[in-house]
Amino acid sequence: MALTDMDPTVKLWLGILGGTAQAIWGFADVVGDLQTFQGEDGERGSQSGVIDMFDMWCPLFETFFLYPYDADNGNIDWLLPWIVLSALTPSVFGLLALFFWDRRPRR
């Protein structure tokens, strides 16, 4: 079965799941932004690690679910690598920040 022969119900649910991944990611960003507000002690807060995980995984899920399986009959095949690259970029930088960038405050 070719990807273009995919059942319309499956395509519908992939769209719903992709939109849900985007909504979860957006809500996680709002929560992360609220966590960075200045506290009562005058210090600025930082996002929790859970928000970092959402920032790494949601773009991957969103791209998987919203991948153009029927890519306009091959007319936009040249664009597909860029779609995947744009999904991987936030995840790669999130992993770099998590494991390699020092988060300790500077003195």
Side-chain angles (χ1 to χ4, degrees):
M1 176 170 99
L3 291 176
T4 56
D5 298 331
M6 188 181 292
D7 181 22
T9 305
V10 173
K11 287 183 180 180
L12 172 69
W13 278 103
L14 287 174
I16 290 170
L17 291 171
T20 302
Q22 176 61 47
I24 291 169
W25 191 17
F27 181 73
D29 278 343
V30 169
V31 171
D33 290 344
L34 292 174
Q35 290 175 342
T36 62
F37 283 156
Q38 189 174 17
E40 293 177 10
D41 59 358
E43 295 292 320
R44 187 172 183 193
S46 62
Q47 290 185 356
S48 67
V50 174
I51 302 301
D52 292 338
M53 292 296 122
F54 280 113
D55 282 341
M56 284 184 265
W57 289 105
C58 284
L60 297 176
F61 286 125
E62 182 182 354
T63 299
F64 171 76
F65 292 132
L66 298 179
Y67 189 82
Y69 291 104
D70 184 7
D72 194 26
N73 296 324
N75 292 333
I76 63 166
D77 284 346
W78 63 273
L79 189 59
L80 298 181
W82 298 107
I83 292 171
V84 173
L85 178 66
S86 69
L88 290 176
T89 302
S91 301
V92 167
F93 279 99
L95 286 170
L96 286 173
L98 189 62
F99 292 110
F100 296 111
W101 288 339
D102 191 11
R103 291 188 175 195
R104 290 178 288 170
R106 296 178 188 240
R107 295 182 184 162

